[in-house]
Amino acid sequence: CTGGIKVIYFIIVTLIIVGDKFLKEYFRSSLRGKHRKEHFTKSGEGINTVDAMQDGWRRKLSPRIEFLENKGAASGIFSSHPKILKGISGVMLCFCAFVLGKERQKGRVSIAGIGYALLLGGGLSNFIDRMKKGSVTDYIRFPEFPVKKISNLVFNMSDFAIFAGIFCLLFRKK
């Protein structure tokens, strides 16, 4: 039943693109005209040591809504070479679509297929932004994350889909 498999992969790709666009508009409209505030919970007083440790990790993993128009790829690489970035993105998307087509022909849903669908959905969403306005809107930051390089980055839903796709491909059965 390759038709059903095709639909599953299509739904994954579509949900990422639509979900990312929805979140960008939702956060943009809810913060429009307002001063950007930190949207994470501060720790309370009078909590025990176990709660304090959990709260510490909760705080470190709590996101903050912060808009960034990124003209480059991850952490701004290739921002001064937009045509090269668009070309590389296009080639990578074609590769993912090709391999996803090959996965679909196997006649079953696979972790690799899900991984490529996640990569394709996340990549397409960012690619659409890049083609329409010359930048990608990122909106989620983890300012307290223990790894400084990550705490400086701003992400979007598409980025998380790309990370999940890479994770699926790294840990699939071969």
Side-chain angles (χ1 to χ4, degrees):
C1 177
T2 59
I5 294 166
K6 185 178 184 180
V7 169
I8 290 170
Y9 293 145
F10 177 78
I11 289 171
I12 292 170
V13 171
T14 304
L15 283 175
I16 294 165
I17 294 169
V18 172
D20 189 43
K21 299 305 175 213
F22 172 79
L23 287 174
K24 286 174 185 172
E25 288 306 312
Y26 173 78
F27 290 132
R28 184 176 286 122
S29 66
S30 67
L31 296 176
R32 187 173 288 139
K34 299 178 183 176
H35 187 305
R36 292 186 191 150
K37 298 178 184 175
E38 295 183 3
H39 294 279
F40 55 89
T41 307
K42 307 236 185 239
S43 61
E45 293 183 23
I47 53 179
N48 65 35
T49 309
V50 175
D51 288 341
M53 285 175 35
Q54 289 174 344
D55 185 59
W57 276 105
R58 203 175 299 133
R59 185 176 44 79
K60 289 181 188 309
L61 298 177
S62 293
R64 181 169 74 187
I65 304 305
E66 182 176 311
F67 280 92
L68 172 71
E69 291 297 330
N70 185 358
K71 293 186 184 241
S75 73
I77 57 175
F78 287 112
S79 59
S80 58
H81 303 288
K83 289 181 182 178
I84 293 172
L85 180 59
K86 288 175 185 175
I88 291 171
S89 298
V91 168
M92 295 301 291
L93 288 171
C94 288
F95 173 77
C96 287
F98 175 76
V99 177
L100 182 58
K102 291 286 189 187
E103 283 296 317
R104 186 181 58 81
Q105 291 175 351
K106 291 181 179 177
R108 60 181 172 79
V109 176
S110 67
I111 294 296
I114 292 170
Y116 283 111
L118 289 165
L119 285 171
L120 187 61
L124 270 172
S125 183
N126 284 340
F127 188 73
I128 291 166
D129 274 1
R130 196 170 282 120
M131 294 304 285
K132 282 177 73 175
K133 57 184 184 169
S135 64
V136 174
T137 303
D138 293 324
Y139 48 85
I140 300 173
R141 184 168 169 241
F142 298 91
E144 301 292 323
F145 199 81
V147 179
K148 192 68 172 166
K149 185 73 173 168
I150 292 174
S151 70
N152 290 332
L153 297 176
V154 184
F155 303 93
N156 60 36
M157 183 179 159
S158 297
D159 297 333
F160 294 123
I162 292 167
F163 295 140
I166 291 169
F167 184 80
C168 288
L169 293 175
L170 289 175
F171 294 104
R172 72 182 188 253
K173 291 181 183 179
K174 294 185 180 186

